[in-house]
Amino acid sequence: MSGLSENHVPEITVQDLKQLLDENKRPFILDVREESEYSIANLGGHLIPLGELVDHMGELEKHCDDELIVVHCRSGGRSAQAVRFLHAVGLCNAKNLRGGTLAWSKEIDPSLPTY
């Protein structure tokens, strides 16, 4: 277990994610919202709802050693839970997207719908 505290979750800002994307560095973007939310607005990541992460561990484990995993939701709460879980099972390169799609819409792409 990684020993992450309830209050400390590794994070990445929307500006840092945009810079990675602009530099053509492609992290594994994991969206832990529900399908109905994803259909309204998404960052083009892989949709695996928070409650289904356990069922998709094989898919996620292949990203453990060599790729940053950026986890997001609408505002950062569910994705913080997901990052804690991923660290607990050994996927220690997972980071929470601070502010989620709301921050992305506000700071990076105002055309991304908010809900």
Side-chain angles (χ1 to χ4, degrees):
M1 189 152 182
S2 72
L4 288 182
S5 73
E6 186 68 23
N7 296 323
H8 176 72
V9 174
E11 292 185 317
I12 185 172
T13 66
V14 292
Q15 293 87 0
D16 289 339
L17 176 57
K18 181 171 185 332
Q19 182 176 347
L20 287 173
L21 297 173
D22 287 347
E23 294 171 354
N24 211 23
K25 297 177 183 169
R26 296 302 214 200
F28 185 86
I29 299 175
L30 174 59
D31 189 330
V32 295
R33 299 173 302 153
E34 295 298 320
E35 189 172 333
S36 60
E37 296 172 283
Y38 186 87
S39 67
I40 294 170
N42 69 73
L43 303 179
H46 303 273
L47 176 65
I48 303 175
L50 179 61
E52 298 176 20
L53 283 179
V54 172
D55 299 332
H56 293 271
M57 286 310 300
E59 177 183 345
L60 295 171
E61 286 171 344
K62 68 182 179 184
H63 299 283
C64 183
D65 293 327
D66 59 352
E67 191 173 3
L68 172 63
I69 301 170
V70 176
V71 186
H72 79 87
C73 62
R74 180 175 179 265
S75 63
R78 286 174 284 179
S79 52
Q81 290 177 336
V83 168
R84 281 188 206 93
F85 169 76
L86 293 173
H87 277 249
V89 297
L91 295 174
C92 296
N93 55 332
K95 292 187 177 184
N96 185 34
L97 182 62
R98 186 183 310 152
T101 58
L102 291 177
W104 187 268
S105 178
K106 180 179 178 184
E107 299 176 38
I108 305 298
D109 182 4
S111 69
L112 186 73
T114 58
Y115 57 94

